[in-house]
Amino acid sequence: MREIEIHDYARQLLEAHGAKAIAEAAQNAVDLEARGEVELARTWRHVEAAMKIMRGPHQS
């Protein structure tokens, strides 16, 4: 996936699933890593990172 596609997908996930989208992306990466799908897992880690940036700093 190109960078723009990753950020677009990350934005769509955040809009659809809210904050839990980050956890879902992380879990997808873990599951893919366990199956040996390294490239797909790397893409999900990238999506996860993009969502964290979009979310901004954590507020308590």
Side-chain angles (χ1 to χ4, degrees):
M1 266 186 156
R2 294 183 343 219
E3 190 72 23
I4 191 75
E5 293 170 320
I6 286 172
H7 283 267
D8 189 45
Y9 191 65
R11 182 187 49 77
Q12 290 174 21
L13 284 174
L14 275 176
E15 288 175 1
H17 299 278
K20 71 177 183 173
I22 296 170
E24 291 172 359
Q27 187 60 55
N28 285 341
V30 168
D31 293 344
L32 288 164
E33 288 165 348
R35 292 193 316 234
E37 298 283 346
V38 178
E39 284 301 312
L40 284 175
R42 187 173 295 133
T43 298
W44 276 106
R45 293 285 183 203
H46 201 158
V47 170
E48 176 189 6
M51 285 190 284
K52 286 179 179 178
I53 291 168
M54 291 173 192
R55 178 190 66 183
H58 180 69
Q59 299 178 4
S60 54

